Amino acid sequence: GPGILTRILLNAGIRVVAVESNLAFLPNLQSLENSLDGQLRVIYGDFFRLDPLVTGKVKPPALCSDELFETMGVAAVPWRADVPVKVFGILPQRKERNTLWRLLFSLYECSSIYKYGRVELNVFISEKEYKVLTAKPGEVKAYQALSVLWQIGCEIQLLHMEPWSSFITNLKNGALAIPKSTCLPNDHLCLVRLTPRQNLFTGGLKTTNSSTFVFMVKQCFAKPRSRLTDRLNSWSLDSGGKLLRELEIPKSAEMRDLYPEDYRRLFEALQNSSMFTDTWFHDEVLESIRKINL
């Protein structure tokens, strides 16, 4: 964009690496870079097209996260360490949902930017997607698989709401396109902080099985009004009733009735069950990841 966030960060004395995908904005940014004695580094690329699943060399504006972090001089830190990098930006509105899923897969697999630790995202997203990310059971139109997975994976903090009227919202020259919404409010862009949880990979949830967890939640919300007992039966888990009693979940509970932490407890219990195998998930998990990263 025109660099409003970049200038605010620079004025605060912060060292900034600006990743810009629009060639029209590069000359001014590069001129600013040359005048700041190392406080600003400008890179041509698109942060939201990091690490696409393509063969051969990645072509700009797509980027490779390893090259980006090497350029920034940032080394990987353990997951439970402090946040190594803070990212500020605006999600591309025409691919907003897809971008949120791509980031989610990377988060749970500790791949792409999350290979370097708990990278914090401070991003403008549409109000309707913010409502989805923070929805709870009972909010029928908003509560989705994205709600469960982002709430388990990150602390979500609303920093600011700005009316769409503050932005250029036509489709020319790369301006923002207001996402259509009939079911949820969408009058603002929301600046949201997404900080990965230090305790995400504890208990039975690990980077090695996290893709299976993501797919399990997605499959559960494919039919959100179905009962959990029916879903367990479809997974050939004969002891489903016993499992629900141990988890203190009513047998009549529908998939949309479970809180995010209930899904995590269910997954960990399934991992410990000798009667459940997730090997049949494998091919569908890989296909889901492949499609969302192209």
Side-chain angles (χ1 to χ4, degrees):
I4 295 172
L5 285 174
T6 302
R7 290 185 181 276
I8 291 172
L9 294 169
L10 290 171
N11 290 339
I14 296 171
R15 176 176 171 258
V16 177
V17 177
V19 181
E20 178 55 61
S21 61
N22 192 325
L23 290 172
F25 292 131
L26 276 177
N28 285 340
L29 273 173
Q30 290 167 340
S31 175
L32 185 62
E33 175 185 24
N34 294 333
S35 69
L36 288 176
D37 194 26
Q39 188 187 356
L40 173 66
R41 178 70 184 270
V42 178
I43 297 174
Y44 172 54
D46 187 343
F47 180 82
F48 296 110
R49 290 180 62 189
L50 280 174
D51 303 315
L53 292 182
V54 295
T55 57
K57 186 175 178 60
V58 174
K59 297 181 180 180
L63 288 171
C64 173
S65 58
D66 288 342
E67 294 178 2
L68 175 61
F69 277 72
E70 182 179 350
T71 300
M72 292 192 299
V74 176
V77 299
W79 186 259
R80 297 184 69 86
D82 290 337
V83 169
V85 172
K86 297 184 179 184
V87 176
F88 290 80
I90 301 176
L91 260 63
Q93 295 302 308
R94 280 172 287 182
K95 295 184 178 180
E96 188 177 29
R97 175 61 64 94
N98 192 64
T99 302
L100 286 169
W101 273 113
R102 288 190 64 199
L103 289 167
L104 197 61
F105 274 113
S106 297
L107 170 66
Y108 277 89
E109 293 180 334
C110 282
S111 61
S112 189
I113 62 174
Y114 297 106
K115 286 192 299 184
Y116 293 84
R118 296 185 304 114
V119 173
E120 176 187 285
L121 300 180
N122 298 270
V123 290
F124 276 104
I125 64 175
S126 66
E127 185 176 0
K128 71 181 184 70
E129 292 298 356
Y130 168 70
K131 294 293 187 183
V132 169
L133 262 57
T134 56
K136 298 294 184 184
E139 300 175 48
V140 177
K141 295 179 180 179
Y143 193 53
Q144 304 171 20
L146 273 178
S147 317
V148 170
L149 294 167
W150 274 108
Q151 288 175 42
I152 289 176
C154 287
E155 297 176 19
I156 303 173
Q157 182 181 0
L158 177 64
L159 302 179
H160 181 68
M161 296 179 71
E162 188 70 23
W164 280 102
S165 57
S166 297
F167 300 87
I168 300 173
T169 53
N170 59 49
L171 293 177
K172 297 179 180 179
N173 300 320
L176 294 169
I178 302 176
K180 295 180 180 179
S181 178
T182 57
C183 300
L184 297 171
N186 193 38
D187 300 320
H188 303 81
L189 268 180
C190 298
L191 181 57
V192 179
R193 176 171 293 159
L194 302 168
T195 308
R197 298 185 185 276
Q198 282 187 319
N199 63 350
L200 177 58
F201 301 109
T202 55
L205 185 61
K206 301 176 174 59
T207 55
T208 52
N209 62 19
S210 58
S211 291
T212 303
F213 173 63
V214 171
F215 185 77
M216 184 198 82
V217 175
K218 286 186 68 177
Q219 191 181 69
C220 287
F221 275 88
K223 295 182 178 180
R225 298 183 65 178
S226 64
R227 295 194 309 166
L228 179 54
T229 51
D230 296 333
R231 177 59 68 189
L232 293 176
N233 289 336
S234 74
W235 292 337
S236 301
L237 189 70
D238 298 332
S239 59
K242 178 183 177 182
L243 184 66
L244 292 183
R245 287 193 298 274
E246 292 174 352
L247 296 174
E248 299 182 345
I249 297 175
K251 291 181 64 175
S252 60
E254 297 179 356
M255 307 312 305
R256 62 184 180 182
D257 295 332
L258 273 64
Y259 281 83
E261 194 54 38
D262 292 330
Y263 276 99
R264 176 166 184 153
R265 293 193 302 121
L266 174 62
F267 178 74
E268 292 178 342
L270 289 172
Q271 292 293 304
N272 293 328
S273 172
S274 60
M275 302 184 68
F276 175 78
T277 174
D278 60 14
T279 54
W280 63 277
F281 272 142
H282 184 70
D283 290 341
E284 294 187 64
V285 170
L286 290 181
E287 180 65 13
S288 179
I289 296 172
R290 187 189 71 80
K291 286 181 179 179
I292 212 158
N293 276 280
L294 288 178

